[in-house]
């Protein structure tokens, strides 16, 4: 919210932004459609589950976009008190923590997801039906037994995907800080409002 | 002891500029690897179940989106005009009107930062024009914006309900009177300051302006009726109400106020007619304004939810190590009565609120104190409102205060200046917190009257 | 707290520890394991979904993060569709026939039916027979037509309400009371102890004693973990579990009767069905069997019927 500083936007940004917009829009429409259906004494039995999976996709994919555009919330008061050289060292340590975090999550996500794509490929979600055109997965992974519901490895794939992306983004941020192109790994409120002040020349 | 170490590491990392979400997540995973035999995969699973296992949290993106459409789509603007027409003529009128506008917007929106942005972007500039200092204007908006989470609907109440399984509908009702009273507290405070500082008032524009502006704002204000009416008449659940609110705000913004979307003309005025441009009903879905509001709301959702998800990882680790029981035993063993217990809870939340964003903090603290509160016979709804008021104070105190950050951005001030400007209002809210804490009927009377006496379901 | 050197057994469930039949059983199991296997094993119980909900607990079990749980039987339909037999309406006359079937050869074979998918069933815990309630009187199946009922995630239960021409709705369990109160949904089905425990009767016109289905739990563990135990430890654990199961299951009828009496005492309405009314419900709902006969197996249905 309120990010008046316009970054140069790349093609990659535009894909990510459209994806986030689409995911939030789809969540809202599905939930709204279910309300309407129920008012007409009908139902969309998969609406709730589909919405929560879209929710997970939105936030997990968005988390790495947030690193790219540096809008994760943090406390900058303490580090802002430091001299630039010391601040750089502390921030590099902070980035190292972020990279370690994302690597641990990446490992955890892979450990969690891989069984669902292999030995537990039978494991279905609760409500979302399996679209017919995806049934080739059943032949491929489920001994040919057709899926009634979507197998869990499908919605869960966002975990290894997004944590990999998160790791890459933290490494890139680290490089930017190493090269003195970026100061902090969190949204810096002092710097931002100074910048706006300078621009507005109030 | 281990738990204390865990909390110290979390705070230490935060102070070194590690993002809050990562500080929570990294410390928890590290703690788990050292002290427990749970797998790394269980951390990924917990991350996933932040979304798939807590249906009520779904209200967060929906309320954020509804706020986005309302501030971009002209609802906020019209509410402000109405507020000025009603109370602008009093001493310090524009500031009092700003509080009134924040209260009305709070009744439509579930989020405090969203309330600050929606109302603040317009009224701070307005207050400066008539001679208020930028600092005073920021202090007003920053603190009145906190009403966003006390006056229903409220994201923070939704989070509390998700953490403790109490009824969201009940909590919403419980917030009505405390929310109104907090607004009145702030208005009285401003009136006193206005007398001392000799702040200006607006000319009385007459009943006609009240009528005209009220009518113009009606479409926006109708949303209150839709949200609360829909919930209590059984049309939808509180979570769904948020999605309905977003859809309603989307249509009002694009097709009634036409301040955004396909019916805006290049010069902005007059707007195109829907009747003559029926194709806009289709183009609106992919319109750049729609996409922009969706994306900006998505961004705010990501910021909030990534912290909440990692707070849930921390909560999982605390549960796994049975720390809530240990703390409960400690507190009950110390012979804490209800009054002292509430003091402790307030202190815990006030300190926690310095470092944490409200929803994340609640996710961690609610399960720690909830069982003790039940043991001591404290009403869970009352406890929820106490927590919300604490979170309001946390939002306007440094170093982590969402409203401070957002206000600084909106007012183009440094955070430190906003902190200073907010200080008198922190004092007002603190007095209000004491009132809420030790006068339970303020919170519990309305839900009891409307929905019958409390039953605890566990 | 567990001592050093003891094997930690984490038992995760979703109810309270002292009022719900499952919670009471889990607490009893914990007490006995911790007394009789002291020094060898130690059980930690995580109630109220604080650690995992019923959906996530089976995933966690397969990952080895939790050792025991007792989800309701419909949660196992994704592991083997055989478990759908317990959701089929009017499959069992009463909880005694459920009990007899579960203890028969056919029932016991179901405990091992998920081994290749990593789960080992250890025993069935009763909650009891399901009753049906709504915001208007339900005496004949037609009374349910057009109403919205909250259902657990189960295709059989969806089909059951479809057969009643009612509208099944998905909803988080924690939202059900509020939804019944305001009318987001009109009705629900549950056992007496749940209708009483969740206070659903307060926000319903009445509850019809239909006994149309069964709500039971499967105590379950990971096959690998179970196989990896030392034989004496495993045997002792199995013996304790068997005794706890028998003790608590014998109580289930009494628990539900008490809940029913408590509902009436609290002013709730309980409707009994005449033989003709019951026959009408059976006639409407029994066709659901055909829909799932392929999943469940005709032989299993026959076995279940033999105990009615
Ligand atoms: Na609000
Ligand atoms: Na704070």
């Amino acid at each position: 919210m309120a990010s008046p500083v316009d970054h140069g936007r790349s093609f990659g940004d535009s894909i990510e932004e459209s994806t986030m917009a689409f995911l939030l829009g789809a969540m809202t429409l599905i939930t709204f459609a279910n309300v309407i259906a129920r008012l007409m004494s009908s139902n969309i039995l998969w609406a709730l589950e589909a919405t929560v999976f879209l929710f997970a996709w939105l936030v997990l994919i968005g988390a790495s976009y947030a690193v790219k555009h540096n809008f994760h919330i943090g406390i900058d008061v303490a580090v802002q008190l430091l001299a630039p050289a010391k601040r750089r060292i502390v921030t590099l340590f902070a980035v190292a923590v972020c990279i370690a975090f994302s690597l641990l999550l990446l490992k955890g996500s892979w450990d969690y997801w891989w069984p669902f794509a292999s030995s537990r490929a039978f494991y279905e979600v609760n409500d979302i039906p399996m679209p017919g055109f995806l049934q080739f997965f059943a032949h491929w992974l489920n001994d040919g037994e057709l899926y009634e519901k979507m197998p869990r490895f499908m919605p869960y794939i966002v975990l290894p995907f997004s944590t990999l992306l998160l790791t890459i983004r933290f490494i890139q941020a680290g490089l930017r800080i190493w090269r003195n192109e970026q100061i902090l790994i969190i949204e810096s409120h002092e710097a931002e409002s100074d910048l706006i002040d300078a621009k507005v020349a109030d | 002891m281990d738990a204390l170490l865990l909390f110290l590491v979390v705070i230490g990392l935060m102070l070194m500029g590690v993002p809050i979400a990562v500080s929570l997540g990294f410390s928890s995973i590290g703690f788990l690897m050292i002290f427990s035999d749970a797998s790394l995969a269980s951390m990924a699973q917990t991350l996933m179940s932040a979304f798939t296992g807590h249906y009520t949290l779904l209200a967060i993106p929906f309320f954020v989106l509804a706020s986005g459409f309302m501030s971009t789509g002209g609802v906020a603007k019209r509410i402000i005009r109405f507020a000025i027409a009603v109370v602008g003529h009093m001493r310090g009128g524009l500031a009092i009107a700003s509080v009134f506008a924040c209260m009305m917007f709070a009744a439509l929106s579930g989020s405090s930062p969203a309330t600050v942005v929606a109302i603040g972007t317009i009224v701070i500039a307005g207050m400066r024009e008539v001679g208020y200092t930028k600092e005073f204007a920021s202090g007003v908006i920053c603190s009145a914006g906190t009403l966003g989470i006390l006056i229903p609907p409220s994201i923070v109440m939704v989070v509390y309900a998700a953490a403790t399984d109490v009824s969201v509908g009940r909590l919403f009702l419980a917030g009505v009177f405390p929310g109104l009273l907090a607004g009145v507290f702030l208005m009285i405070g401003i009136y006193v300051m206005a007398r001392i500082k000799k702040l200006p008032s607006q000319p009385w524009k007459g009943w006609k302006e009240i009528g005209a502006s009220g009518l113009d704002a009606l479409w926006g204000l109708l949303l209150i009726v839709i949200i609360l009416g829909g919930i209590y008449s059984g049309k939808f659940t509180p979570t769904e109400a948020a999605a309905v609110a977003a859809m309603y705000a989307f249509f009002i913004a694009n097709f009634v106020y036409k301040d955004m979307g396909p019916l805006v003309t290049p010069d902005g005025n007059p707007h195109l007619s829907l009747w003559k441009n029926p194709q806009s009903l289709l183009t609106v879905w992919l319109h750049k304004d729609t996409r922009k509001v969706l994306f900006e709301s998505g961004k705010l959702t990501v910021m909030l939810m990534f912290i909440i998800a990692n707070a849930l990882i921390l909560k999982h680790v605390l549960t796994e190590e049975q720390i809530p029981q240990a703390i409960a035993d400690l507190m009950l063993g110390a012979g804490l009565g209800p009054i002292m217990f509430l003091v402790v809870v307030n202190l815990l939340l006030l300190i926690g609120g310095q470092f944490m964003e409200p929803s994340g903090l609640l996710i961690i603290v609610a399960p720690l104190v909830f069982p003790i509160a039940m043991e001591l016979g404290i009403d869970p709804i009352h406890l929820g409102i106490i927590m919300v008021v604490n979170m309001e104070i946390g939002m306007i105190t440094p170093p982590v205060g969402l409203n401070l950050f957002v206000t600084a951005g909106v007012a183009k001030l440094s955070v430190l200046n906003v902190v200073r400007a907010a200080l008198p209002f922190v004092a007002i809210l603190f007095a209000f917190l004491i009132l809420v804490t030790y006068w339970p009927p303020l919170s519990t009377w309305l839900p009891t009257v409307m929905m019958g006496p409390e039953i605890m379901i566990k | 707290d567990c001592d050093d050197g003891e094997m930690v057994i984490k038992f995760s469930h979703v109810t309270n520890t002292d009022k719900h039949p499952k919670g009471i059983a889990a607490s009893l199991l914990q007490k006995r394991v911790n007394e009789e296997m002291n020094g060898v094993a130690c059980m930690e119980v995580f109630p109220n979904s604080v650690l995992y909900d019923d959906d996530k607990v089976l995933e966690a079990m397969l990952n080895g993060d939790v050792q025991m749980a007792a989800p309701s039987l419909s949660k196992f339909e994704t592991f083997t569709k055989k478990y759908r037999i317990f959701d089929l309406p009017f499959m069992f006359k009463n909880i005694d026939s459920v009990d007899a079937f579960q203890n028969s050869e056919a029932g016991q074979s179901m405990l091992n039916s998920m081994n290749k998918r990593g789960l080992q069933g250890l025993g069935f815990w009763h909650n009891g027979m399901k009753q049906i309630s709504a915001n208007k009187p339900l005496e004949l199946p037609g009374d349910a037509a057009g109403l919205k009922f909250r259902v657990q995630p189960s295709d059989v239960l969806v089909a059951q309400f479809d057969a009643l021409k009612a509208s099944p709705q998905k909803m988080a369990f924690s939202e059900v009371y509020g939804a019944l109160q305001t009318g987001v949904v009109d009705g629900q089905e549950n056992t007496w102890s749940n209708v009483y425990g969740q206070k659903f009767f307060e926000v319903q016109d009445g509850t019809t004693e239909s006994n149309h289905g069964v709500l039971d739990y499967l105590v379950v563990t990971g096959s690998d973990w179970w196989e990896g135990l030392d034989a004496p430890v495993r045997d002792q654990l199995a013996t304790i579990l068997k005794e706890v199961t028998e003790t608590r299951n014998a109580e289930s009828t009494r628990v539900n009767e008490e809940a029913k009496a408590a509902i009436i005492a609290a002013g709730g309405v309980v409707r009994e069905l005449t033989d003709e009314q019951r026959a009408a419900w059976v006639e409407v709902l029994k066709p659901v069997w055909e829909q799932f006969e392929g999943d469940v197996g005709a032989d299993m249905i026959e076995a279940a019927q033999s105990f009615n």
Side-chain angles (χ1 to χ4, degrees), chain B residues 37-39 41-42 45 49 52-53 55-56 165 231-234 236-237 239 315-316 319-320 322 451 455 457-458, chain C residues 1 10 16 44-46 48 50-53 56 59-60 63 65 171-172 174-175 177 181-184 198-199 202:
Chain B
D37 52 1
S39 67
S42 73
Q45 187 193 27
S49 32
T52 59
Y55 297 104
T56 36
D165 270 350
I231 293 174
Y232 298 111
S233 71
F236 31 77
T237 65
T239 316
K315 187 205 133 187
H316 185 91
T319 308
E320 178 101 41
Q322 307 212 320
M451 300 179 80
I455 49 153
I457 295 170
K458 251 303 173 195
Chain C
D1 266 11
K10 291 187 168 139
N16 57 37
E44 289 176 348
V45 173
F46 296 88
N48 295 321
V50 289
L51 204 55
Y52 298 105
D53 62 22
K56 288 284 184 266
E59 292 186 4
N63 281 336
D65 288 317
M171 182 165 288
S174 57
E175 284 193 316
Y177 181 90
Q181 183 175 36
T182 57
V184 172
Q198 300 288 327
K199 309 284 183 238
E202 295 182 344

Side-chain angles (χ1 to χ4, degrees), chain A residues 42-43 112 127 149 152 156, chain C residues 55 59 155 168-170:
Chain A
S42 179
N43 54 35
Y112 179 57
D127 298 320
K149 309 284 163 56
R152 292 193 177 205
Y156 287 0
Chain C
D55 190 53
E59 292 186 4
D155 286 1
Q169 301 287 336
K170 287 285 152 70

Side-chain angles (χ1 to χ4, degrees), chain A residues 45-64:
Chain A
L45 291 169
W46 49 266
L48 187 57
E49 196 180 37
T51 308
V52 295
F53 281 132
L54 291 171
F55 189 23
W57 280 62
L58 168 66
V59 178
L60 292 174
I61 291 175
S64 63

